[in-house]
């Protein structure tokens, strides 16, 4: 595999001639480079006028490798060839270097260019590329490759220091200015302009020392100041490219700006400290994306998030990035802050908001997790509505990180979250809610990687480990390492909350000094509940590719029977369902004999429905007799329209279990609205069922239902034989199919 390196553009605030004079001091040998043993000029050519000067050297490098590698190679040092092509008229130097040792086994090719800065002729740009291919090396190909990459990265960093050292030496010797070719030949017309080799927008400045271009007049000084101001303007433009109120947080520079040069301040203040290899990975990813994503490009900070999430593996980061960009475009996420207004119920009952910042300057989000009504939110706004709200929080968080970066003058690409778990209980472990939470974690991890800088979980109750066990496997390992969990009042001790957030920004309910209003959440009244049809917009592409529930439409004589195969005794069959329309009966049946689905009834859907709608399946036919072919293990229960039921059954024996829903027609009353009666000829049930191993089931499903539900667990209802309901169901002859 060929390893490639591409450097950012490094800029020295010295003239080209000064930089070249410093560069030549490295030859024939350089004491600052221990592995550089020396060099010999083997070929030298000059043009008649001296403008072009080509020097080819044979360089000896010490083999800084393990002893076994030296023994296998039989060499104590390596031979590299280097060809330097100076063009003093155009003020360029092009360097080519390749290995002579082991050339049949290993291919190393390096290219460097020194050119004049396109916006300031008194500055010099440096750009570097390299490739490495280890074809064969005594079975140690991987070790040789890692060793070469490590040493090359170290030499890159050392090269910067050496050049700056010799520039300082020149200044100490009194050399402040070296005349250019044009200054030495004033009568010669300037060469025609050449397309600059510098194409990368990400650059790196070296500001140590004075400017190499010696200003002789006030006008020249003003011109240089104007040029420097022009470069700084590019920094501001790039840094603010995506920090716009209610605009997408990912959109970067336009295509026309791709060639813009930015100085070291941009890297230091907006990207942070990157190793040479990391810089190369960033540039490679940028160029790769620019080939396929024209127009707006994600800004560098966002690209770095994806690179870090994939350990700077460019291919994996590119795959992740392109999938995310497609997702953003498909769902118009870049416009979500501008075009989507969260419903008032979300603003009122989601107990969290953005709140000041932590000690590192990261934006701070506070969430009163224990006051969150998971089931109420799902039934009031649906998983889709909650997910969109989560996306707005993440988009706003990214916007705030960029503002914080500009405000504090240092790279801030993530935020801190305080999760107050006071009030967290088993009702928060409602399984459909957990399923929805895992889906949201999946979406956020795929599209907002490396945005969580730190999560401080405070006042964690005893039930928290149960939730953590369910959720943590779905959270990226790098993200999990950023979680700090405090039980009781331990967050107030050293190493706790006060170490990360100033007391003036800690809410009063956590013992701080801040009395800002943070939504308290609470139980959502049932009057806010909406049907699945109301929650699902017919013209809106859902963000969720899958739903927690399945929808069944029941009619007289057309039940819906879900066949569940139980393989081991003591397995737990669990269910949760809501009656969206009409009245139904629900029961659980058991047969030791193997059962199969006898037929399916295709529901004719004329209106737009969620993707989870299923055909009605029928397991029992009219020839089967209760007590002979099957038995009831949970007696039929009448469930009215709007009721929400959860339950479980511990299976005493393996076999075929059937969850059965039937349309139930109650006795019409005189005051019943004819229109309502007409609509109730069809019933709709949205349901979810799952089989748990006995060791995964901790207690009754009663503890898992949301507290706003007025119904006890169905398993408790049926096993306690609520006679009025059971007798009513039997007196109706269980309503024939």
């Amino acid at each position: 595999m060929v390893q490639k390196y591409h450097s950012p553009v490094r800029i020295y605030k010295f003239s080209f001639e000064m930089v070249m004079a410093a560069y030549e001091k490295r030859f024939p040998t350089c004491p600052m480079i221990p592995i550089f043993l020396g060099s010999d000029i083997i070929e030298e050519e000059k043009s008649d006028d001296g403008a072009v000067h080509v020097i080819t050297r044979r360089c000896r490098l010490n083999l800084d490798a393990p002893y076994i590698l030296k023994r296998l190679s039989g060499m104590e040092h390596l031979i590299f060839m280097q060809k330097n092509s100076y063009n003093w008229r155009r003020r360029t130097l092009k360097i080519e270097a390749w290995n002579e040792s082991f050339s049949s086994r290993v291919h190393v090719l390096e290219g460097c260019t020194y050119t004049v800065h396109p916006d300031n002729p008194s500055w010099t740009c440096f750009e570097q590329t390299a490739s490495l291919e280890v074809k064969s090396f005594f079975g140690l190909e991987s070790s040789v490759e890692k060793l070469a990459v490590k040493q090359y990265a170290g030499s890159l960093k050392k090269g910067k220091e050496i050049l700056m050292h010799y520039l300082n030496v020149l200044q100490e010797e009194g050399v402040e200015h070296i005349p250019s070719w044009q200054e030495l030949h004033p009568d010669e017309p300037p060469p025609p302009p050449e397309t600059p080799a510098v194409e990368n927008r990400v650059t790196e400045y070296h500001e140590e020392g004075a400017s190499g271009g010696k200003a002789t007049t006030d006008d020249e000084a003003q011109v240089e100041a104007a040029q420097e101001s022009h470069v700084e303007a590019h920094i501001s433009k790039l840094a603010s490219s995506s920090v716009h109120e209610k605009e997408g947080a990912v959109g970067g520079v336009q295509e026309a700006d791709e060639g813009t040069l930015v100085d070291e301040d941009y890297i230091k203040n907006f990207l942070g400290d990157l190793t040479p290899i990391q810089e190369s990975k960033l540039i490679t990813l940028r160029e790769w994306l620019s080939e396929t994503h024209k127009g707006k490009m994600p800004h560098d900070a966002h690209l770095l998030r994806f690179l870090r999430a994939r350990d700077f593996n460019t291919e994996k980061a590119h795959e992740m990035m392109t999938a995310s960009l497609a997702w953003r475009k498909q769902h118009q996420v870049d416009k979500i802050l501008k075009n989507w207004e969260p419903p008032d119920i979300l603003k009122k009952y989601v107990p969290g908001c953005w709140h000041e910042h932590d000690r590192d300057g990261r934006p701070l989000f506070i969430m009163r997790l224990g006051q969150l009504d998971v089931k109420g939110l799902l039934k009031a706004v649906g998983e889709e509505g909650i997910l969109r709200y989560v996306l707005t929080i993440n988009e706003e968080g990214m916007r705030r990180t960029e503002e914080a970066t500009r405000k504090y003058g240092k790279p801030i690409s993530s935020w801190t979250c305080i999760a107050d778990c006071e009030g967290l209980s088993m009702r928060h472990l409602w399984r459909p809610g957990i399923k929805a939470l895992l889906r949201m974690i999946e979406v956020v991890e795929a599209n907002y990687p490396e945005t969580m800088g730190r999560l401080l979980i405070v006042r964690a109750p005893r039930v928290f480990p149960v939730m953590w066990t369910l959720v943590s496997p779905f959270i990226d390992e790098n993200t999990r390492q950023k979680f700090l969990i405090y039980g009781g009042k331990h967050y107030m001790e050293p190493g706790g909350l006060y170490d990360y957030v100033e007391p003036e920004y800690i809410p009063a309910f956590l013992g701080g000094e801040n009395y800002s209003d943070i939504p308290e959440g609470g139980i959502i009244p049932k009057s806010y509940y909406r049907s699945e049809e109301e929650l699902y917009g017919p013209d809106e592409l859902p963000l969720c590719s899958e739903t927690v529930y399945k929808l069944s439409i029941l009619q007289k004589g057309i039940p819906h029977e879900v066949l569940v195969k139980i393989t081991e005794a003591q397995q737990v069959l669990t269910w949760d369902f809501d009656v969206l329309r009409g009245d139904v009966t629900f029961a659980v049946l058991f047969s030791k004999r193997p059962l199969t689905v006898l037929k399916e009834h295709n529901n004719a859907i004329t209106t737009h429905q969620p993707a989870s709608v299923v055909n009605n399946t029928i397991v029992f036919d009219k020839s089967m007799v209760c007590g002979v072919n099957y038995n009831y293990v949970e007696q039929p229960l009448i469930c009215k329209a709007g009721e929400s039921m959860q339950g479980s059954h511990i299976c005493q024996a393996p076999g075929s279990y059937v969850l059965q829903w039937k349309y139930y027609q109650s006795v019409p009353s005189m005051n019943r609205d004819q229109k309502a009666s007409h609509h109730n000829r069809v019933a709709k049930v949205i349901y979810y069922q799952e089989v748990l191993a006995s060791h995964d089931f901790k207690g009754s499903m009663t503890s898992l239902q949301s507290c706003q539900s007025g119904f006890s667990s169905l398993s408790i209802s049926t096993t306690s034989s609520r006679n009025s309901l059971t007798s009513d169901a039997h007196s109706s002859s269980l309503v024939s199919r």
Side-chain angles (χ1 to χ4, degrees), residues 357-360 416 454 456 484 486 495-502:
H357 57 82
D358 68 4
R359 290 183 183 270
D360 295 325
T416 294
R454 186 180 295 115
L456 303 168
L484 298 175
Y486 304 91
L497 192 58
Y498 291 89
D499 285 13
Y500 302 102
V501 183
E502 296 281 357

Side-chain angles (χ1 to χ4, degrees), residues 8 10 21 68 95 138 142 163 231 251 299 365 368 379 399 403 441 446 508 510 535 588 592 618 676 681 690:
R10 192 185 313 156
I68 187 173
I95 304 172
F138 313 107
S142 178
L163 193 56
V231 175
H299 53 77
F365 190 88
R368 306 183 74 169
K379 292 182 177 296
R399 190 183 70 82
E403 288 182 344
I441 290 175
L510 291 178
L535 291 173
V588 181
K592 292 184 178 180
I618 298 176
R681 292 175 185 174
E690 186 177 14

Side-chain angles (χ1 to χ4, degrees), residues 77-262:
H77 61 268
L78 300 176
I79 302 298
F80 270 77
M81 303 299 293
Q82 185 182 78
K83 182 179 180 179
N84 294 353
S85 301
Y86 297 90
N87 189 322
W88 297 105
R89 180 180 286 109
R90 291 190 176 276
R91 304 177 76 188
T92 63
L93 168 62
K94 295 183 179 180
I95 304 172
E96 299 172 76
W98 63 94
N99 65 304
E100 189 176 85
S101 302
F102 307 109
S103 58
S104 62
R105 296 177 179 272
V106 181
H107 287 175
V108 179
L109 183 62
E110 182 182 34
C112 306
T113 58
Y114 287 89
T115 58
V116 176
H117 192 287
D119 294 329
N120 190 331
S122 297
W123 295 350
T124 304
C125 297
F126 170 78
E127 190 176 9
Q128 185 173 13
T129 61
S131 65
L132 167 69
E133 182 181 13
V134 182
K135 292 188 174 181
S136 64
F137 205 89
F138 313 107
L140 300 174
E141 291 80 11
S142 178
S143 299
V144 170
E145 186 176 284
K146 291 179 180 178
L147 178 65
V149 170
K150 180 181 178 180
Q151 291 198 354
Y152 188 74
S155 67
L156 291 173
K157 184 176 181 181
K158 193 70 176 177
K160 306 173 188 177
E161 300 174 0
I162 294 170
L163 193 56
M164 288 306 306
H165 168 75
Y166 285 122
L167 283 168
N168 292 331
V169 169
L170 287 173
Q171 289 184 321
E172 291 172 0
E173 294 174 350
V175 181
E176 294 288 344
H177 177 71
I178 298 177
S180 66
W181 180 270
Q182 292 298 320
E183 291 174 324
L184 295 174
H185 305 82
D187 297 332
E188 183 178 313
E194 186 178 32
T195 302
V198 176
E199 296 179 354
N200 292 317
R201 190 170 62 79
V202 183
T203 64
E204 191 171 340
Y205 269 144
H206 282 273
E207 301 180 3
E208 295 88 343
S211 171
K214 186 177 181 180
T216 57
T217 66
D218 291 341
D219 290 341
E220 291 177 354
Q222 291 176 2
V223 169
E224 184 171 329
Q227 291 167 339
E228 189 167 350
S229 176
H230 175 67
V231 175
E232 291 175 352
H234 284 305
I235 304 173
S236 177
K237 183 176 182 180
L238 285 169
S240 61
S241 60
S242 61
V243 186
H244 297 298
E245 187 68 25
K246 296 209 177 248
E247 291 294 337
V250 173
V253 294
Q254 297 288 342
E255 185 177 3
D257 296 326
E258 289 178 0
T260 304
L261 294 178
V262 187

Side-chain angles (χ1 to χ4, degrees), residues 614-652:
V614 295
N615 294 333
N616 287 22
T617 55
I618 298 176
V619 177
F620 299 110
D621 62 22
K622 295 181 179 180
S623 64
M624 295 183 179
V625 179
C626 180
V628 178
N629 304 104
Y630 62 87
N631 292 295
Y632 284 96
V633 293
E634 301 287 350
Q635 294 296 324
L637 178 70
I638 299 174
C639 304
K640 302 292 185 180
E643 291 186 352
S644 174
M645 307 298 293
Q646 305 85 40
S648 63
H649 177 80
I650 300 176
C651 303
Q652 301 299 322

Side-chain angles (χ1 to χ4, degrees), residues 330-363:
Q330 181 182 17
H331 300 289
Q332 299 184 337
V333 178
D334 285 327
K335 300 179 181 179
I336 195 169
L337 289 178
K338 182 179 180 180
N339 296 342
W340 188 75
E341 183 68 23
D344 291 338
I345 191 171
L346 283 173
K347 297 177 181 178
K348 180 178 181 181
Y349 286 100
V350 173
C353 65
W354 290 104
H355 176 79
E356 302 295 345
H357 57 82
D358 68 4
R359 290 183 183 270
D360 295 325
R362 293 190 183 105

Side-chain angles (χ1 to χ4, degrees), residues 552-561 583-585 599-604 614-620 622 660-664 681-685 734-737:
S552 176
I553 299 176
L554 307 174
Q555 301 178 39
K556 186 176 181 179
I558 305 176
H560 182 49
E561 297 171 340
D583 301 336
V584 301
T585 62
K599 58 181 178 179
E600 287 190 20
H601 180 269
N602 186 18
N603 289 308
V614 295
N615 294 333
N616 287 22
T617 55
I618 298 176
V619 177
F620 299 110
K622 295 181 179 180
Q660 183 189 73
W661 288 271
K662 290 182 180 180
Y663 168 75
Y664 176 76
R681 292 175 185 174
V682 173
K684 291 185 178 181
V685 174
L734 300 178
V735 188
S736 65
R737 298 176 188 80

